[in-house]
Amino acid sequence: KPSVWLKNRSPPVLPPPRPANSLEVAAMPLDYSKWDKIGDDSDDEAKPSKPKAAAPAKPASRSELAEAPAPAPAVAQSQDMSAEHKRPLDDAPDIELPEGAWTKYYTESMTAPQRMQTMVHLWNSAVQEERVDFLRHLIDIIGNPQISNRIKGGQEILKDLDTSFYDGVTYPAKWVDNFKDKMPTADKKVVFEKLFKSLDNQERGLVLGTLM
């Protein structure tokens, strides 16, 4: 693993999922309700809090909130990308399901920023309805309501992720093209599952952190 990106100021790692038979987990049911109408642009969205002892700030409009990209999962606080993260990935094998060499390539031949950059572009290439499916599938994968119930609801969670943090970091462009144009939603869910499960705990925490 490229330790240069996983030190000092990395975001905290979320705890691993608890077993399904854990008493603490069983006592907290999973709240699916906030994703039931995730595409509904209603007045139920959270309003920004007003600053104390100051004039109230003008809240952003719904259109501004929807257009503003969400922060991408960050593996470091610096944008000083080294050469290894900019290496061309034209040699990446094609994505093949259910199994293929691409998953090994993802974990062993790509750096942490490249892995995050890839997931960001795959997410951004999907339409909103597919993103809802991805979120629900991720919740099932996590299997821990203590974590899943902290995931945001509403339109904000469906926004594009901000790619500027990884400016210059390479990713397998053909993966994104194939994912966007040729894969049915069911296969896309499998791809996201395999990529997420292949990450270490620190990288999973970074991904989950963008959803909370």
Side-chain angles (χ1 to χ4, degrees), residues 85-105:
H85 309 307
K86 299 180 180 181
R87 179 182 71 83
L89 300 176
D90 300 331
D91 59 337
D94 293 336
I95 295 179
E96 297 178 349
L97 298 175
E99 302 296 338
W102 63 281
T103 53
K104 182 177 181 181
Y105 183 92

Side-chain angles (χ1 to χ4, degrees), residues 1 3 8 10 36 38 57 65 72 93 95 116 122 137 141 164 168:
K1 303 294 181 182
S3 59
N8 298 334
S10 296
D36 286 342
I38 198 166
L65 289 174
I95 295 179
M116 295 297 102
L122 290 176
H137 192 51
I141 294 171
S164 63

Side-chain angles (χ1 to χ4, degrees), residues 16-75:
R18 296 177 183 269
N21 61 355
S22 169
L23 294 178
E24 187 173 2
V25 171
M28 181 182 295
L30 180 57
D31 178 14
Y32 279 99
S33 62
K34 58 185 173 181
W35 299 288
D36 286 342
K37 298 181 180 180
I38 198 166
D40 182 16
D41 188 16
S42 66
D43 292 332
D44 294 334
E45 298 177 22
K47 298 179 180 180
S49 59
K50 297 180 180 180
K52 296 180 179 180
K58 180 182 179 181
S61 67
R62 291 192 188 90
S63 61
E64 291 172 335
L65 289 174
E67 293 174 0
V75 294

Side-chain angles (χ1 to χ4, degrees), residues 58-141:
K58 180 182 179 181
S61 67
R62 291 192 188 90
S63 61
E64 291 172 335
L65 289 174
E67 293 174 0
V75 294
Q77 298 298 322
S78 171
Q79 294 189 11
D80 182 18
M81 298 300 178
S82 64
E84 65 174 328
H85 309 307
K86 299 180 180 181
R87 179 182 71 83
L89 300 176
D90 300 331
D91 59 337
D94 293 336
I95 295 179
E96 297 178 349
L97 298 175
E99 302 296 338
W102 63 281
T103 53
K104 182 177 181 181
Y105 183 92
Y106 182 74
T107 57
E108 298 183 7
S109 299
M110 295 170 62
T111 65
Q114 288 173 328
R115 288 192 288 272
M116 295 297 102
Q117 176 80 308
T118 299
M119 295 196 74
V120 166
H121 280 274
L122 290 176
W123 171 270
N124 288 354
S125 74
V127 298
Q128 284 201 350
E129 291 78 7
E130 291 176 327
R131 296 178 188 182
V132 174
D133 288 336
F134 298 162
L135 284 172
R136 288 182 174 274
H137 192 51
L138 178 61
I139 290 166
D140 292 336
I141 294 171

